[in-house]
Amino acid sequence: MASFCAIASATNCIPYSSSFSSNKSPLSSNRRKNPAIKFTCKAKNDNHKPETTSKNGENSPGKLDRRDVLLGLGGLYSTSLAVNPMALAKPALPDFKDCIDATQPNGTPINCCPPAVANIPDYVPSATTIRTRMAAQSFTVDSDYYNKYSSAIQKMRNLSLTDPRNFTQQANVHCAYCDGGYTQKGYPNLLYEIHNSWMFFPWHRWYLYFFEKICQNLIDDDTFTLPFWNWDAPEGMQIPPIFNSGVQSPLYNCLRNPAHLPPTVVNLDWSNDDVTVPPNVQIKYNLATMYKQMITQSKTPADFFGSPYRAGDETPEINTAGQIEQTPHNHVHSWTGTIVDPDNPIDMGALYSAARDPIFYAHHANIDRLWTIKLNQLKGTNFTDPDWLNAYFIFYNEEAKPVRVRIQDCLDPTKLGYTYEDVPIPWIDVSTKPKPRAKAKTLPSAPDPAQVFPITLDKPINVIVKRPKKSGSGSPEEILVIEGIEYDKKNYVKFNVYINEDDVNSSHPDNTEFLGSFSNLPHGHRMNVKTNKKFRISEVLEELGARDYDKVLVTLVPKSKPVRINGIKIEFDS
Ligand code: C2O
């Protein structure tokens, strides 16, 4: 592997600890070191205590009143914004003026900062022509499309490192936004982050939009569109040929798991210790995973997109990732990335380096496509919360100029000038829905959660959890909540969750009993976090013939370094 990478590094593999992780980046003018948040991003100063909002939207007692936050931020929104500044005080926003060293999962600082800029204009897209992003598997390496795309990426790689459109700098945009490169505007003790909350889908949509524009500009062809890695359909469940075209190809990356090159079928709920199964079996598991994540577990905008992230929130302590961000998004990353050092993954396996692999952009185009499927085919809805709609990000456009863009302006891809090829969506058919492995079992005995938690999950555990009693009419959905999952963000984390399953080794993603998994892709924030994971279980219990049981058996199976878990309960959906 080492010599393989050495050959490739001259063209398309950035060696570990490369020049841009040194302290002398050509783009360092916008950068400072911030000793106050070196090891934690917990607010130290009471004035910056995270504000929490209860389910009904009221501020929690004892926390900062939102009006105080508005007053405290009063001066920050006084320039260049054409909208009511009061309306903008609530979204969590990156402080673009103040980029700091991000952190690699191994703790080494990394400078991902873009150039400093004074005036950043607002940008609202108004496309008049709609282009179609095509499934990556439709293209061969001798196609015109391959030539265009590889020439665009090669041109990006050839740009000076001082140009924000340079390929490495584009990868650094992702690094700065997800590994602690920015603080939150108005909250200098809180790191800003675009994963694990409702920022995930819109941030990546805008990121791809400008990446595609830069490609179009460099090859002088505005008909060019990014491909999508169609890993949710059997035709696309391998690394697409255009990304696997040899070490000299600009679309290649040597830091991929050598065991997962074609014809290996992707595993959308991959764990490090998964054994390879025949391709048709893996395809069946993948389709069931898609059904479960897109349909069974994604009923509300918060299920699908992730929970709110507002000014002063410390993410993800009180925020949780959406179902799709966890599975399949995280697992396609870790399945694709290298396993040279499982404790220190790089390129697709870790967020700071993921966008150095050209396949990243095709992976995220498919994530973005799932958003369109959720709205169109599955009749889902976007959030209408102004704190989501008004949140903004800053990117560099195809002319290397910074622009400020808002979530509200990216909700309709046709206004951004693109749509997705209409390929089959096999998992949307109810025949792919996970099936019970064994109906209406007698539950084995197991302890009550109070006897078990808190616990460090270093081996599988079973608990019997009481279901809440319904009061009044109606039937609110029951939610299984795994509470207070504590881990260090620099670690790869995964555990699987089963319900009413007495033999987890026989239970697979196409079984109803396999509820799903919790995962964390290594980030460089170097902070211990505490979050929750929720699963919708009413429909699941119905299918398992356990509707009338007053208790359920829950099994947690660790698939990574141990995490600490504080409790498990079942509550009604609010
Ligand atoms: Cu920003 Cu796939 O990660």
Side-chain angles (χ1 to χ4, degrees):
M1 190 67 191
S3 60
F4 191 48
C5 275
I7 301 167
S9 64
T11 52
N12 52 31
C13 274
I14 301 160
Y16 195 49
S17 297
S18 69
S19 61
F20 66 95
S21 67
S22 83
N23 287 336
K24 296 220 170 44
S25 162
L27 298 187
S28 59
S29 55
N30 183 26
R31 171 176 166 248
R32 69 177 169 85
K33 290 194 174 161
N34 189 336
I37 49 174
K38 213 158 180 189
F39 297 106
T40 174
C41 72
K42 280 198 193 303
K44 294 273 190 316
N45 177 338
D46 279 344
N47 293 332
H48 294 131
K49 236 182 205 165
E51 174 197 19
T52 56
T53 305
S54 65
K55 286 186 188 107
N56 61 10
E58 296 297 318
N59 295 334
S60 305
K63 299 285 179 180
L64 272 190
D65 185 287
R66 182 153 282 162
R67 284 162 303 183
D68 296 339
V69 177
L70 289 167
L71 288 172
L73 296 180
L76 293 170
Y77 298 98
S78 53
T79 54
S80 84
L81 295 180
V83 276
N84 174 6
M86 293 302 277
L88 284 173
K90 295 191 293 178
L93 300 169
D95 195 340
F96 201 68
K97 284 202 300 300
D98 215 4
C99 188
I100 56 178
D101 275 348
T103 315
Q104 298 178 31
N106 67 3
T108 316
I110 177 169
N111 172 19
C112 304
C113 294
V117 273
N119 294 311
I120 303 173
D122 289 327
Y123 172 76
V124 177
S126 54
T128 48
T129 315
I130 299 166
R131 316 275 184 208
T132 304
R133 290 183 181 170
M134 306 284 285
Q137 74 268 14
S138 354
F139 302 112
T140 56
V141 288
D142 53 13
S143 60
D144 285 350
Y145 181 81
Y146 172 79
N147 291 334
K148 276 188 194 176
Y149 193 20
S150 51
S151 139
I153 299 295
Q154 190 57 53
K155 286 182 176 190
M156 285 173 92
R157 292 184 192 276
N158 293 349
L159 289 172
S160 149
L161 258 183
T162 58
D163 189 322
R165 300 168 306 167
N166 166 284
F167 186 76
T168 299
Q169 294 305 340
Q170 282 294 300
N172 282 354
V173 169
H174 187 253
C175 165
Y177 270 103
C178 69
D179 285 87
Y182 299 118
T183 55
Q184 233 193 77
K185 196 157 186 155
Y187 296 84
N189 289 329
L190 296 180
L191 293 176
Y192 180 81
E193 133 103 287
I194 45 86
H195 296 94
N196 296 315
S197 79
W198 66 6
M199 300 298 184
F200 172 75
F201 275 93
W203 186 90
H204 289 85
R205 174 169 283 180
W206 275 121
Y207 182 43
L208 261 59
Y209 172 83
F210 289 108
F211 188 86
E212 185 172 74
K213 286 265 178 232
I214 293 167
C215 290
Q216 291 174 350
N217 182 274
L218 291 176
I219 57 171
D220 196 19
D221 179 354
D222 65 6
T223 68
F224 174 80
T225 51
L226 293 174
F228 63 91
W229 180 5
N230 187 199
W231 36 246
D232 58 307
E235 300 72 29
M237 285 183 192
Q238 296 178 10
I239 290 184
I242 58 170
F243 293 103
N244 191 44
S245 43
V247 293
Q248 293 307 323
S249 164
L251 303 185
Y252 187 76
N253 185 298
C254 67
L255 296 173
R256 295 182 190 145
N257 188 328
H260 294 165
L261 301 178
T264 310
V265 174
V266 70
N267 179 340
L268 298 183
D269 202 345
W270 188 66
S271 304
N272 283 321
D273 62 351
D274 275 354
V275 291
T276 308
V277 296
N280 60 327
V281 176
Q282 188 59 57
I283 288 169
K284 195 162 151 244
Y285 291 173
N286 287 343
L287 295 177
T289 297
M290 289 306 303
Y291 188 99
K292 176 165 58 188
Q293 296 302 103
M294 287 291 289
I295 300 174
T296 312
Q297 295 295 341
S298 283
K299 299 252 164 78
T300 65
D303 292 345
F304 180 77
F305 293 100
S307 64
Y309 178 31
R310 303 180 204 272
D313 282 353
E314 178 175 350
T315 182
E317 180 151 12
I318 54 173
N319 298 299
T320 52
Q323 290 290 352
I324 305 306
E325 180 180 350
Q326 288 253 310
T327 307
H329 165 261
N330 282 359
H331 309 308
V332 174
H333 270 278
S334 46
W335 179 87
T336 308
T338 184
I339 53 159
V340 170
D341 175 1
D343 285 335
N344 198 18
I346 42 179
D347 286 31
M348 278 289 274
L351 289 178
Y352 84 97
S353 57
R356 296 179 194 172
D357 186 338
I359 207 168
F360 172 97
Y361 304 89
H363 172 37
H364 271 278
N366 204 39
I367 293 286
D368 188 65
R369 175 177 156 267
L370 295 182
W371 182 0
T372 67
I373 293 172
K374 188 71 194 168
L375 298 188
N376 301 327
Q377 282 86 347
L378 297 173
K379 306 290 172 232
T381 53
N382 285 323
F383 284 110
T384 53
D385 189 317
D387 287 358
W388 191 63
L389 298 171
N390 288 322
Y392 65 69
F393 315 113
I394 287 150
F395 289 102
Y396 282 84
N397 69 11
E398 67 277 18
E399 288 158 2
K401 304 252 167 53
V403 287
R404 178 183 357 248
V405 292
R406 288 177 205 288
I407 290 180
Q408 66 194 17
D409 295 318
C410 78
L411 303 181
D412 178 358
T414 62
K415 294 212 175 99
L416 301 172
Y418 71 87
T419 184
Y420 287 101
E421 184 187 6
D422 187 11
V423 293
I425 310 171
W427 52 262
I428 223 160
D429 191 280
V430 74
S431 63
T432 66
K433 186 176 188 170
K435 315 248 178 331
R437 196 179 67 78
K439 265 195 181 181
K441 286 167 270 212
T442 315
L443 299 183
S445 64
D448 185 85
Q451 296 169 265
V452 172
F453 297 104
I455 194 175
T456 298
L457 188 69
D458 52 6
K459 55 177 184 314
I461 58 158
N462 284 318
V463 282
I464 295 277
V465 189
K466 276 203 197 70
R467 294 172 68 188
K469 294 248 178 306
K470 272 177 208 154
S471 61
S473 59
S475 47
E477 181 149 13
E478 282 168 66
I479 311 282
L480 177 74
V481 189
I482 301 168
E483 294 182 291
I485 305 164
E486 293 180 61
Y487 56 94
D488 186 327
K489 280 174 89 175
K490 75 177 180 350
N491 293 334
Y492 166 76
V493 166
K494 188 175 194 256
F495 61 85
N496 290 351
V497 184
Y498 302 82
I499 191 162
N500 289 6
E501 177 56 272
D502 52 11
D503 180 9
V504 291
N505 294 327
S506 303
S507 201
H508 301 293
D510 62 337
N511 292 124
T512 314
E513 290 89 341
F514 180 79
L515 272 181
S517 60
F518 173 85
S519 61
N520 175 65
L521 277 183
H523 295 45
H525 277 62
R526 295 180 78 204
M527 55 186 277
N528 293 318
V529 293
K530 204 170 178 183
T531 188
N532 295 337
K533 174 74 189 176
K534 299 182 178 183
F535 295 96
R536 295 188 168 269
I537 57 167
S538 295
E539 194 180 317
V540 166
L541 291 176
E542 182 81 37
E543 274 153 29
L544 292 176
R547 191 182 52 186
D548 300 325
Y549 288 28
D550 56 0
K551 294 172 183 151
V552 298
L553 171 71
V554 178
T555 307
L556 306 182
V557 179
K559 294 285 176 180
S560 67
K561 282 195 172 147
V563 290
R564 189 100 182 133
I565 298 180
N566 282 281
I568 294 191
K569 67 176 181 197
I570 298 173
E571 63 184 22
F572 290 122
D573 189 8
S574 56

